[in-house]
Amino acid sequence: MRLLAASAVLLLLTGAQEPPESIEGRWKSPGGNSIIDIAPCGASLCGTVAWASEKAKHDSRKTVDQLVGTQLLTNLAQRSQGRWQGRLFIPDKNMRVTAKLQLAAPGQLKVSGCLAGRALCKSELWTRTDEPLPAPD
């Protein structure tokens, strides 16, 4: 009986894998010009601008009146472990493209936007942040 119990504990310790990290939470774009909250939005996930620098706000004024509160990521659905797909809105270019998100490392999210299939793609590496939002500029 002890051998069985010891074997079960050993199996749990060696076979247990941490569940994949969720993309839900707060993410900072490269350069720190915006912070995006990814959270449930109906049956999928959405990414909404929680904070933006004055430069980011200025760059997006041609297409959106208020950058903070704008959904940049919509209809995000998990495609496989650590990978999601949906739509990405790029405010300063007024474009909607296919979005692919992948957990690159703990606390890092690779966000790719592609036009015309895979022909025109650009990727950024976002960093998870648990810090309070900066004061408005």
Side-chain angles (χ1 to χ4, degrees), residues 15 58 69-70 73 97 114 117-118 124-125 130 132 134:
H58 180 268
T70 298
L73 295 164
V97 299
C114 297
R118 294 185 183 178
E124 293 184 341
L125 199 57
D130 294 323

Side-chain angles (χ1 to χ4, degrees), residues 5 7 20 48-49 59 71 76 78 82-83 91 96 102 106 114 116 127:
S7 296
T48 305
V49 178
D59 291 347
Q71 283 188 353
L76 292 174
Q78 191 166 7
R83 295 174 189 262
R96 294 187 189 280
Q102 177 181 355
C114 297
T127 305

Side-chain angles (χ1 to χ4, degrees), residues 87-99:
R87 300 291 293 165
L88 170 66
F89 173 55
I90 306 168
D92 57 333
K93 300 197 182 324
N94 198 24
M95 294 173 52
R96 294 187 189 280
V97 299
T98 299

Side-chain angles (χ1 to χ4, degrees), residues 18-93:
E18 286 187 33
E21 186 178 357
S22 171
I23 63 170
E24 289 182 49
R26 190 166 280 168
W27 297 91
K28 187 183 294 189
S29 65
N33 61 356
S34 61
I35 296 175
I36 314 309
D37 278 335
I38 298 179
C41 183
S44 61
L45 296 175
C46 294
T48 305
V49 178
W51 176 87
S53 69
E54 281 304 314
K55 180 180 180 348
K57 291 176 189 175
H58 180 268
D59 291 347
S60 68
R61 281 198 181 112
K62 294 180 279 186
T63 59
V64 294
D65 294 330
Q66 182 76 15
L67 183 57
V68 174
T70 298
Q71 283 188 353
L72 299 186
L73 295 164
T74 54
N75 299 319
L76 292 174
Q78 191 166 7
R79 297 294 179 218
S80 62
Q81 186 173 348
R83 295 174 189 262
W84 287 259
Q85 187 171 333
R87 300 291 293 165
L88 170 66
F89 173 55
I90 306 168
D92 57 333
K93 300 197 182 324

Side-chain angles (χ1 to χ4, degrees), residues 12 16 56 77 85 91 99 110 122 136:
L12 286 173
Q85 187 171 333
K110 180 180 177 183
K122 182 179 178 186

Side-chain angles (χ1 to χ4, degrees), residues 96-136:
R96 294 187 189 280
V97 299
T98 299
K100 294 185 180 183
L101 288 75
Q102 177 181 355
L103 289 167
Q108 293 188 322
L109 183 65
K110 180 180 177 183
V111 179
S112 302
C114 297
L115 247 181
R118 294 185 183 178
L120 303 169
C121 296
K122 182 179 178 186
S123 296
E124 293 184 341
L125 199 57
W126 292 3
T127 305
R128 186 180 293 278
T129 180
D130 294 323
E131 298 173 10
L133 291 174

